[in-house]
C-alpha cells in the first residue's frame, strides 16, 4: 500500500466529519459560517508550515525514513508530499469535531 492510499482512508473520514460539522453548525447557527473558512485556512497554513519545517529537520537528522517504492517522488524540501496530508487532516478534523461537540452541547 502506498502512502497516498493510506492517506486517502484518513482524508475520506475527515471529509465526512467536516461535511457533517458544516451541516450541523449551519442548521444550529445561520451566521456561524462567517469567518469559519478564514479560521480553517489560517490553521491549515500554520500547520503546513510547521510540518514542512519539522519534517525536514527530522528526516535530515535520520529520525524517520520512507520506503522509496511507496512515496510519490514529490517533495517539499526533503519531506515527501504525502506527509502533509496528516497536517491537513488535523487542520480540518479537530475544528470540525470541536464544532460538532459544541453544537451538540448547546442543543
Amino acid at each position: 500500500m502506498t502512502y497516498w492510499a493510506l492517506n486517502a482512508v484518513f482524508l475520506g473520514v475527515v471529509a465526512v466529519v467536516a461535511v457533517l460539522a458544516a451541516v450541523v453548525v449551519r442548521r444550529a447557527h445561520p451566521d456561524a459560517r462567517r469567518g469559519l473558512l478564514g479560521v480553517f485556512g489560517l490553521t491549515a497554513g500554520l500547520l503546513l508550515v510547521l510540518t514542512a519545517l519539522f519534517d525536514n529537520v527530522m528526516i535530515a537528522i535520520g529520525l524517520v525514513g520512507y520506503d522509496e517504492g511507496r512515496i510519490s517522488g514529490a517533495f517539499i524540501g526533503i519531506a515527501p508530499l504525502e506527509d502533509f496530508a496528516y497536517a491537513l487532516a488535523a487542520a480540518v478534523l479537530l475544528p470540525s469535531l470541536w464544532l460538532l461537540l459544541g453544537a451538540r452541547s448547546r442543543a
Side-chain angles (χ1 to χ4, degrees):
M1 175 181 281
T2 66
Y3 293 119
W4 277 121
L6 182 62
N7 288 343
V9 173
F10 289 104
L11 291 174
V13 171
V14 168
V16 169
V17 173
V19 168
L20 182 61
V23 169
V24 167
V25 170
R26 186 174 180 192
R27 285 185 185 166
H29 307 285
D31 294 331
R33 289 189 333 185
R34 186 175 303 143
L36 199 57
L37 287 179
V39 171
F40 275 99
L42 181 65
T43 303
L46 183 62
L47 280 174
L48 290 172
V49 167
L50 290 171
T51 299
L53 175 69
F54 289 108
D55 277 9
N56 278 285
V57 169
M58 289 188 301
I59 293 167
I61 64 173
L63 191 60
V64 293
Y66 297 92
D67 182 354
E68 295 292 325
R70 295 186 179 180
I71 59 175
S72 66
F75 296 92
I76 295 179
I78 57 174
L81 193 57
E82 292 90 325
D83 260 6
F84 294 86
Y86 302 108
L88 183 62
V92 174
L93 182 63
L94 294 176
S96 296
L97 288 174
W98 182 293
L99 290 171
L100 279 173
L101 296 174
R104 180 178 293 163
S105 66
R106 285 189 297 267

